[in-house]
Amino acid sequence: MSIGLSGCGLPSSKSASTHAGSPNAAVTGRGQEGAVHPGNATAPTSAGQILVPGAMAPDVLLTAEPSGKRVPISAYLGKKPVVLNAWASWCPPCREETPQLVSMYRAYGTKVQFLGVNLTSLDSVPAAETFIRRYHIPYPVLFDTQGDFDRAYSVIAEPMTYVINQQGRVVSIHVGALSGSALRAVMEQALASR
């Protein structure tokens, strides 16, 4: 599947093949035109690897607000496929995409686990909380206050969406804002990944 990219730091004319089995499945900042995600030009994981489809989803601890409790991503894995969306409140493509995600949650939320991750190390908790209220985000949102998710999930632009199957494997990685039709295709891919 090729998807046009439209994300903070990426020109909208780029496309990437990011599905499992693709010979070019690695999502990296190398060779990208324009600015890449701040502080993560090569997007290495904590072990120095690039996260690609087929890999196990890294289990990082994130913060649940307002409690401040640290929650592992694994707490959301295993029951149903996961659609994980990483975003920042200052990112225009994130603002464009979020209403579509909320709509997809209403249609697929009983069959697919939705999870938002605010890239708080590049944002702020108050700005993220305002964003959540503004867009009436009904699914759980965790906060990446230490940048651990950013590194482990090889974030190169905002937003990024990951499909993770029930076994905890990354099925696909999508860089940039997804249209309604692209998000429907992602939902179908998530359901097929069981």
Side-chain angles (χ1 to χ4, degrees), residues 11-165:
S12 60
S13 63
K14 289 290 176 188
S15 64
S17 181
T18 59
H19 59 86
S22 167
N24 298 319
V27 177
T28 70
R30 295 184 186 101
Q32 296 284 351
E33 293 177 20
V36 294
H37 178 72
N40 217 6
T42 58
T45 65
S46 57
Q49 302 295 314
I50 302 297
L51 183 65
V52 296
M56 292 302 290
D59 192 19
V60 297
L61 284 174
L62 299 171
T63 304
E65 293 294 341
S67 70
K69 180 181 174 185
R70 301 285 282 167
V71 179
I73 285 182
S74 61
Y76 295 91
L77 302 178
K79 296 176 186 85
K80 48 189 170 180
V82 175
V83 172
L84 190 157
N85 181 257
W87 56 272
S89 66
W90 46 261
C91 166
C94 299
R95 288 183 228 137
E96 292 171 20
E97 179 183 63
T98 298
Q100 296 290 333
L101 281 164
V102 169
S103 177
M104 290 297 119
Y105 170 81
R106 290 189 180 116
Y108 294 91
T110 59
K111 300 174 187 169
V112 175
Q113 172 67 58
F114 283 71
L115 181 62
V117 174
N118 174 258
L119 302 169
T120 321
S121 63
L122 304 170
D123 204 346
S124 74
V125 170
E129 289 174 334
T130 298
F131 186 97
I132 292 165
R133 284 189 304 274
R134 177 180 179 194
Y135 292 101
H136 307 285
I137 298 175
Y139 46 85
V141 175
L142 299 175
F143 295 78
D144 183 26
T145 58
Q146 306 297 314
D148 296 333
F149 178 91
D150 188 355
R151 289 183 294 277
Y153 280 76
S154 306
V155 176
I156 60 169
E158 297 80 17
M160 284 185 69
T161 303
Y162 305 80
V163 175
I164 303 169
N165 69 16

Side-chain angles (χ1 to χ4, degrees), residues 81 186-194:
V186 166
M187 295 306 120
E188 294 304 321
Q189 182 183 48
L191 291 171
S193 74
R194 296 177 187 211

